Amino acid sequence: MVVILNAPWILLSVLTPILLRSGIITLAWMSWIFPLMMVLAFIPGLVYWRGLDEPSREAHKFAMFWGAGMAFLLVGLTGFELMVVPGFREAAQERIESFIAATDGRLGQEPAAVGLWVGVLGSVGVLLLGYVIAWIGWWVRQRVGTTAG
């Protein structure tokens, strides 16, 4: 529910650099709009959180800690590999360049900028996936229950 309430803000923050290709306009836009969007996105989340019962709150806390937390560890290890493992950075660079060619440069021509946005969106996707898996797992465990041996 929170994701649905915040979807316009999230979508706007992701699409802004793609829609506004000028570096100065993007920087100026993001420097005051993005913090404003964060504040405005917090309000429906707070309203949603206050309306939840205790089991729902526990499910969200569990999913955030275990799901998103472990996914964040995975993202961090991937970033570490990009810095340390020989050949990993070059392979990632080749994939970004092929991604630019496959999209006909619609998301930009600069490999570093496109790589940054692919990395950011990929990281958010991994965190969201970990969160959803842990959240579903928590509810399944509560519904099925645990049986003592």
Side-chain angles (χ1 to χ4, degrees):
M1 181 70 172
V2 173
V3 173
I4 294 170
L5 291 173
N6 292 327
W9 307 112
I10 294 169
L11 185 64
L12 184 60
S13 68
V14 169
L15 291 179
T16 297
I18 296 169
L19 296 176
L20 302 171
R21 299 223 173 150
S22 169
I24 295 172
I25 293 174
T26 301
L27 181 60
W29 174 263
M30 294 300 284
S31 66
W32 68 274
I33 287 292
F34 191 69
L36 178 64
M37 290 187 306
M38 294 283 292
V39 169
L40 291 176
F42 181 76
I43 295 168
L46 183 63
V47 170
Y48 173 71
W49 183 260
R50 288 188 175 182
L52 289 177
D53 58 355
E54 190 60 30
S56 296
R57 286 184 181 189
E58 288 303 315
H60 285 296
K61 288 189 277 187
F62 179 86
M64 189 57 130
F65 183 79
W66 290 106
M70 293 301 109
F72 188 71
L73 178 65
L74 178 67
V75 168
L77 289 174
T78 304
F80 180 74
E81 288 177 341
L82 278 170
M83 293 185 298
V84 174
V85 176
F88 198 78
R89 186 182 311 171
E90 291 77 18
Q93 182 72 21
E94 289 175 15
R95 289 184 186 260
I96 292 298
E97 289 171 359
S98 66
F99 179 76
I100 291 172
T103 59
D104 296 327
R106 286 188 299 267
L107 301 176
Q109 296 290 336
E110 183 63 37
V114 174
L116 175 69
W117 279 105
V118 168
V120 167
L121 294 177
S123 298
V124 169
V126 169
L127 293 174
L128 185 59
L129 181 64
Y131 177 89
V132 168
I133 290 170
W135 185 82
I136 290 171
W138 190 91
W139 278 111
V140 167
R141 182 170 181 212
Q142 298 305 312
R143 298 287 186 218
V144 173
T146 58
T147 57

Short mmCIF file of all heavy atoms in Angstrom, two decimals, residues 35-78:
data_model
loop_
_atom_site.label_atom_id
_atom_site.label_comp_id
_atom_site.label_asym_id
_atom_site.label_seq_id
_atom_site.Cartn_x
_atom_site.Cartn_y
_atom_site.Cartn_z
N PRO A 35 14.24 16.42 -2.41
CA PRO A 35 13.95 16.48 -0.96
C PRO A 35 12.48 16.77 -0.67
O PRO A 35 11.92 16.21 0.28
CB PRO A 35 14.85 17.61 -0.45
CG PRO A 35 15.95 17.68 -1.44
CD PRO A 35 15.34 17.31 -2.76
N LEU A 36 11.88 17.62 -1.49
CA LEU A 36 10.45 17.90 -1.31
C LEU A 36 9.62 16.64 -1.52
O LEU A 36 8.69 16.35 -0.76
CB LEU A 36 10.01 19.00 -2.27
CG LEU A 36 8.53 19.37 -2.23
CD1 LEU A 36 8.16 19.96 -0.87
CD2 LEU A 36 8.20 20.35 -3.35
N MET A 37 9.96 15.86 -2.55
CA MET A 37 9.24 14.60 -2.80
C MET A 37 9.42 13.63 -1.65
O MET A 37 8.50 12.90 -1.29
CB MET A 37 9.71 13.96 -4.11
CG MET A 37 9.28 14.73 -5.33
SD MET A 37 9.65 13.90 -6.88
CE MET A 37 11.39 13.60 -6.75
N MET A 38 10.61 13.60 -1.06
CA MET A 38 10.85 12.70 0.08
C MET A 38 9.94 13.07 1.25
O MET A 38 9.36 12.20 1.88
CB MET A 38 12.32 12.78 0.50
CG MET A 38 13.30 12.26 -0.51
SD MET A 38 13.38 10.49 -0.56
CE MET A 38 14.11 10.16 1.00
N VAL A 39 9.82 14.36 1.52
CA VAL A 39 8.97 14.81 2.62
C VAL A 39 7.51 14.49 2.31
O VAL A 39 6.78 13.98 3.16
CB VAL A 39 9.17 16.32 2.88
CG1 VAL A 39 8.12 16.85 3.83
CG2 VAL A 39 10.56 16.56 3.43
N LEU A 40 7.08 14.78 1.08
CA LEU A 40 5.69 14.52 0.71
C LEU A 40 5.38 13.03 0.68
O LEU A 40 4.26 12.62 0.96
CB LEU A 40 5.37 15.17 -0.63
CG LEU A 40 5.35 16.70 -0.63
CD1 LEU A 40 5.13 17.22 -2.04
CD2 LEU A 40 4.30 17.23 0.32
N ALA A 41 6.35 12.20 0.34
CA ALA A 41 6.14 10.76 0.32
C ALA A 41 6.07 10.20 1.73
O ALA A 41 5.47 9.16 1.96
CB ALA A 41 7.25 10.07 -0.46
N PHE A 42 6.68 10.87 2.69
CA PHE A 42 6.67 10.41 4.07
C PHE A 42 5.28 10.51 4.68
O PHE A 42 4.90 9.66 5.49
CB PHE A 42 7.68 11.23 4.88
CG PHE A 42 7.77 10.81 6.31
CD1 PHE A 42 8.45 9.66 6.66
CD2 PHE A 42 7.17 11.57 7.31
CE1 PHE A 42 8.55 9.27 7.98
CE2 PHE A 42 7.26 11.18 8.63
CZ PHE A 42 7.95 10.03 8.97
N ILE A 43 4.51 11.49 4.28
CA ILE A 43 3.20 11.74 4.88
C ILE A 43 2.23 10.58 4.66
O ILE A 43 1.66 10.06 5.62
CB ILE A 43 2.62 13.08 4.39
CG1 ILE A 43 3.51 14.22 4.90
CG2 ILE A 43 1.18 13.27 4.84
CD1 ILE A 43 3.25 15.56 4.27
N PRO A 44 2.01 10.10 3.42
CA PRO A 44 1.10 8.95 3.27
C PRO A 44 1.65 7.69 3.94
O PRO A 44 0.88 6.86 4.45
CB PRO A 44 0.96 8.74 1.77
CG PRO A 44 1.89 9.67 1.11
CD PRO A 44 2.43 10.61 2.12
N GLY A 45 2.97 7.55 3.98
CA GLY A 45 3.55 6.41 4.66
C GLY A 45 3.26 6.43 6.15
O GLY A 45 2.97 5.40 6.77
N LEU A 46 3.34 7.60 6.75
CA LEU A 46 3.04 7.75 8.17
C LEU A 46 1.57 7.47 8.45
O LEU A 46 1.24 6.78 9.42
CB LEU A 46 3.43 9.16 8.64
CG LEU A 46 3.23 9.45 10.11
CD1 LEU A 46 4.13 8.54 10.95
CD2 LEU A 46 3.54 10.91 10.40
N VAL A 47 0.70 7.97 7.60
CA VAL A 47 -0.74 7.71 7.76
C VAL A 47 -1.01 6.21 7.64
O VAL A 47 -1.76 5.64 8.45
CB VAL A 47 -1.55 8.51 6.72
CG1 VAL A 47 -3.01 8.08 6.71
CG2 VAL A 47 -1.42 10.00 6.99
N TYR A 48 -0.38 5.58 6.66
CA TYR A 48 -0.54 4.13 6.48
C TYR A 48 -0.03 3.37 7.70
O TYR A 48 -0.69 2.45 8.20
CB TYR A 48 0.20 3.69 5.22
CG TYR A 48 0.24 2.21 5.01
CD1 TYR A 48 -0.90 1.49 4.66
CD2 TYR A 48 1.44 1.51 5.18
CE1 TYR A 48 -0.86 0.13 4.47
CE2 TYR A 48 1.49 0.14 4.99
CZ TYR A 48 0.35 -0.54 4.64
OH TYR A 48 0.40 -1.90 4.46
N TRP A 49 1.14 3.74 8.21
CA TRP A 49 1.74 3.04 9.35
C TRP A 49 0.86 3.14 10.59
O TRP A 49 0.70 2.18 11.32
CB TRP A 49 3.13 3.60 9.63
CG TRP A 49 3.85 2.88 10.72
CD1 TRP A 49 3.98 3.27 12.02
CD2 TRP A 49 4.52 1.62 10.62
NE1 TRP A 49 4.69 2.35 12.72
CE2 TRP A 49 5.04 1.33 11.88
CE3 TRP A 49 4.73 0.73 9.57
CZ2 TRP A 49 5.76 0.17 12.14
CZ3 TRP A 49 5.46 -0.42 9.84
CH2 TRP A 49 5.96 -0.69 11.10
N ARG A 50 0.31 4.30 10.82
CA ARG A 50 -0.54 4.49 12.02
C ARG A 50 -1.83 3.69 11.93
O ARG A 50 -2.43 3.37 12.95
CB ARG A 50 -0.85 5.96 12.22
CG ARG A 50 0.36 6.72 12.69
CD ARG A 50 0.03 8.11 13.07
NE ARG A 50 1.20 8.76 13.63
CZ ARG A 50 1.21 9.98 14.09
NH1 ARG A 50 0.10 10.70 14.05
NH2 ARG A 50 2.30 10.49 14.59
N GLY A 51 -2.27 3.36 10.72
CA GLY A 51 -3.49 2.58 10.56
C GLY A 51 -3.28 1.07 10.63
O GLY A 51 -4.24 0.31 10.59
N LEU A 52 -2.03 0.63 10.73
CA LEU A 52 -1.74 -0.81 10.74
C LEU A 52 -1.94 -1.41 12.13
O LEU A 52 -1.72 -0.75 13.14
CB LEU A 52 -0.29 -1.07 10.32
CG LEU A 52 0.06 -0.85 8.86
CD1 LEU A 52 1.54 -1.08 8.65
CD2 LEU A 52 -0.75 -1.77 7.97
N ASP A 53 -2.33 -2.68 12.14
CA ASP A 53 -2.38 -3.40 13.40
C ASP A 53 -0.98 -3.93 13.73
O ASP A 53 -0.06 -3.85 12.92
CB ASP A 53 -3.41 -4.53 13.35
CG ASP A 53 -3.14 -5.54 12.25
OD1 ASP A 53 -2.21 -5.32 11.46
OD2 ASP A 53 -3.86 -6.55 12.19
N GLU A 54 -0.82 -4.48 14.92
CA GLU A 54 0.51 -4.91 15.38
C GLU A 54 1.14 -6.01 14.52
O GLU A 54 2.33 -5.92 14.19
CB GLU A 54 0.44 -5.36 16.84
CG GLU A 54 1.78 -5.58 17.48
CD GLU A 54 2.66 -4.34 17.50
OE1 GLU A 54 2.13 -3.22 17.56
OE2 GLU A 54 3.90 -4.50 17.45
N PRO A 55 0.39 -7.05 14.10
CA PRO A 55 1.03 -8.06 13.24
C PRO A 55 1.53 -7.49 11.91
O PRO A 55 2.60 -7.87 11.44
CB PRO A 55 -0.07 -9.10 13.01
CG PRO A 55 -0.99 -8.94 14.16
CD PRO A 55 -0.94 -7.48 14.51
N SER A 56 0.78 -6.59 11.33
CA SER A 56 1.20 -5.98 10.07
C SER A 56 2.46 -5.15 10.26
O SER A 56 3.37 -5.17 9.43
CB SER A 56 0.10 -5.10 9.49
OG SER A 56 -1.02 -5.89 9.17
N ARG A 57 2.54 -4.44 11.38
CA ARG A 57 3.74 -3.67 11.66
C ARG A 57 4.94 -4.59 11.84
O ARG A 57 6.03 -4.30 11.34
CB ARG A 57 3.56 -2.83 12.93
CG ARG A 57 2.68 -1.63 12.74
CD ARG A 57 2.62 -0.81 13.99
NE ARG A 57 1.74 0.34 13.78
CZ ARG A 57 1.62 1.33 14.64
NH1 ARG A 57 2.32 1.32 15.76
NH2 ARG A 57 0.82 2.33 14.39
N GLU A 58 4.74 -5.70 12.54
CA GLU A 58 5.84 -6.65 12.74
C GLU A 58 6.28 -7.26 11.42
O GLU A 58 7.47 -7.48 11.21
CB GLU A 58 5.42 -7.74 13.73
CG GLU A 58 5.33 -7.27 15.15
CD GLU A 58 6.63 -6.68 15.66
OE1 GLU A 58 7.72 -7.27 15.42
OE2 GLU A 58 6.57 -5.61 16.29
N ALA A 59 5.34 -7.53 10.53
CA ALA A 59 5.69 -8.08 9.22
C ALA A 59 6.56 -7.10 8.44
O ALA A 59 7.56 -7.49 7.83
CB ALA A 59 4.43 -8.43 8.43
N HIS A 60 6.18 -5.83 8.48
CA HIS A 60 6.97 -4.82 7.76
C HIS A 60 8.35 -4.64 8.37
O HIS A 60 9.34 -4.51 7.66
CB HIS A 60 6.23 -3.48 7.73
CG HIS A 60 5.09 -3.46 6.76
ND1 HIS A 60 5.26 -3.59 5.40
CD2 HIS A 60 3.75 -3.33 6.95
CE1 HIS A 60 4.08 -3.54 4.80
NE2 HIS A 60 3.15 -3.38 5.72
N LYS A 61 8.43 -4.64 9.70
CA LYS A 61 9.74 -4.49 10.36
C LYS A 61 10.63 -5.69 10.06
O LYS A 61 11.82 -5.53 9.78
CB LYS A 61 9.56 -4.31 11.86
CG LYS A 61 8.98 -2.95 12.23
CD LYS A 61 9.02 -2.70 13.72
CE LYS A 61 7.84 -3.34 14.40
NZ LYS A 61 7.73 -3.00 15.82
N PHE A 62 10.06 -6.89 10.11
CA PHE A 62 10.81 -8.10 9.80
C PHE A 62 11.32 -8.07 8.36
O PHE A 62 12.49 -8.35 8.08
CB PHE A 62 9.92 -9.34 10.02
CG PHE A 62 10.60 -10.64 9.72
CD1 PHE A 62 11.35 -11.29 10.66
CD2 PHE A 62 10.47 -11.22 8.46
CE1 PHE A 62 11.97 -12.50 10.38
CE2 PHE A 62 11.08 -12.42 8.16
CZ PHE A 62 11.84 -13.07 9.13
N ALA A 63 10.44 -7.70 7.45
CA ALA A 63 10.82 -7.66 6.03
C ALA A 63 11.88 -6.60 5.77
O ALA A 63 12.80 -6.83 4.98
CB ALA A 63 9.59 -7.40 5.17
N MET A 64 11.78 -5.47 6.44
CA MET A 64 12.77 -4.43 6.23
C MET A 64 14.13 -4.86 6.77
O MET A 64 15.15 -4.65 6.11
CB MET A 64 12.31 -3.13 6.92
CG MET A 64 13.17 -1.97 6.56
SD MET A 64 13.20 -1.75 4.79
CE MET A 64 12.83 -0.08 4.64
N PHE A 65 14.15 -5.47 7.95
CA PHE A 65 15.42 -5.87 8.54
C PHE A 65 16.05 -7.05 7.81
O PHE A 65 17.18 -6.98 7.36
CB PHE A 65 15.25 -6.21 10.03
CG PHE A 65 16.53 -6.56 10.70
CD1 PHE A 65 17.39 -5.55 11.11
CD2 PHE A 65 16.88 -7.87 10.92
CE1 PHE A 65 18.59 -5.86 11.73
CE2 PHE A 65 18.08 -8.19 11.54
CZ PHE A 65 18.94 -7.19 11.95
N TRP A 66 15.29 -8.13 7.67
CA TRP A 66 15.87 -9.34 7.10
C TRP A 66 15.87 -9.33 5.58
O TRP A 66 16.86 -9.70 4.95
CB TRP A 66 15.15 -10.59 7.61
CG TRP A 66 15.46 -10.82 9.04
CD1 TRP A 66 14.62 -10.61 10.11
CD2 TRP A 66 16.70 -11.27 9.59
NE1 TRP A 66 15.27 -10.90 11.27
CE2 TRP A 66 16.55 -11.31 10.99
CE3 TRP A 66 17.93 -11.62 9.04
CZ2 TRP A 66 17.57 -11.71 11.84
CZ3 TRP A 66 18.95 -12.02 9.89
CH2 TRP A 66 18.77 -12.06 11.27
N GLY A 67 14.79 -8.93 4.96
CA GLY A 67 14.72 -8.95 3.50
C GLY A 67 15.56 -7.88 2.85
O GLY A 67 16.50 -8.15 2.10
N ALA A 68 15.23 -6.62 3.16
CA ALA A 68 15.97 -5.52 2.56
C ALA A 68 17.39 -5.44 3.10
O ALA A 68 18.32 -5.08 2.38
CB ALA A 68 15.23 -4.20 2.80
N GLY A 69 17.58 -5.81 4.37
CA GLY A 69 18.92 -5.78 4.95
C GLY A 69 19.87 -6.77 4.28
O GLY A 69 21.01 -6.45 3.95
N MET A 70 19.39 -7.98 4.07
CA MET A 70 20.23 -8.98 3.40
C MET A 70 20.43 -8.63 1.93
O MET A 70 21.50 -8.86 1.36
CB MET A 70 19.61 -10.37 3.53
CG MET A 70 19.58 -10.92 4.95
SD MET A 70 21.22 -11.04 5.68
CE MET A 70 21.17 -9.73 6.88
N ALA A 71 19.42 -8.06 1.30
CA ALA A 71 19.57 -7.62 -0.09
C ALA A 71 20.58 -6.48 -0.17
O ALA A 71 21.36 -6.41 -1.11
CB ALA A 71 18.22 -7.18 -0.65
N PHE A 72 20.58 -5.60 0.81
CA PHE A 72 21.56 -4.51 0.85
C PHE A 72 22.97 -5.06 0.96
O PHE A 72 23.90 -4.54 0.35
CB PHE A 72 21.25 -3.57 2.01
CG PHE A 72 22.07 -2.32 2.02
CD1 PHE A 72 21.86 -1.35 1.07
CD2 PHE A 72 23.06 -2.14 2.97
CE1 PHE A 72 22.63 -0.19 1.06
CE2 PHE A 72 23.81 -0.99 2.97
CZ PHE A 72 23.60 -0.01 2.02
N LEU A 73 23.13 -6.13 1.73
CA LEU A 73 24.43 -6.80 1.83
C LEU A 73 24.85 -7.33 0.46
O LEU A 73 26.00 -7.19 0.06
CB LEU A 73 24.37 -7.93 2.85
CG LEU A 73 25.63 -8.75 3.04
CD1 LEU A 73 26.73 -7.89 3.63
CD2 LEU A 73 25.35 -9.93 3.94
N LEU A 74 23.91 -7.92 -0.27
CA LEU A 74 24.20 -8.42 -1.61
C LEU A 74 24.62 -7.29 -2.55
O LEU A 74 25.57 -7.42 -3.31
CB LEU A 74 22.97 -9.15 -2.17
CG LEU A 74 23.08 -9.70 -3.58
CD1 LEU A 74 24.10 -10.83 -3.63
CD2 LEU A 74 21.73 -10.19 -4.05
N VAL A 75 23.92 -6.16 -2.48
CA VAL A 75 24.27 -5.01 -3.31
C VAL A 75 25.66 -4.50 -2.94
O VAL A 75 26.47 -4.16 -3.81
CB VAL A 75 23.21 -3.89 -3.16
CG1 VAL A 75 23.68 -2.59 -3.77
CG2 VAL A 75 21.89 -4.33 -3.78
N GLY A 76 25.96 -4.46 -1.66
CA GLY A 76 27.28 -4.01 -1.21
C GLY A 76 28.39 -4.94 -1.68
O GLY A 76 29.46 -4.48 -2.10
N LEU A 77 28.14 -6.24 -1.64
CA LEU A 77 29.14 -7.20 -2.13
C LEU A 77 29.36 -7.04 -3.64
O LEU A 77 30.49 -7.17 -4.11
CB LEU A 77 28.72 -8.62 -1.80
CG LEU A 77 28.80 -9.00 -0.32
CD1 LEU A 77 28.22 -10.39 -0.10
CD2 LEU A 77 30.22 -8.93 0.18
N THR A 78 28.30 -6.76 -4.36
CA THR A 78 28.44 -6.54 -5.80
C THR A 78 29.27 -5.29 -6.07
O THR A 78 30.14 -5.29 -6.94
CB THR A 78 27.05 -6.40 -6.46
OG1 THR A 78 26.29 -7.56 -6.16
CG2 THR A 78 27.17 -6.24 -7.96
#
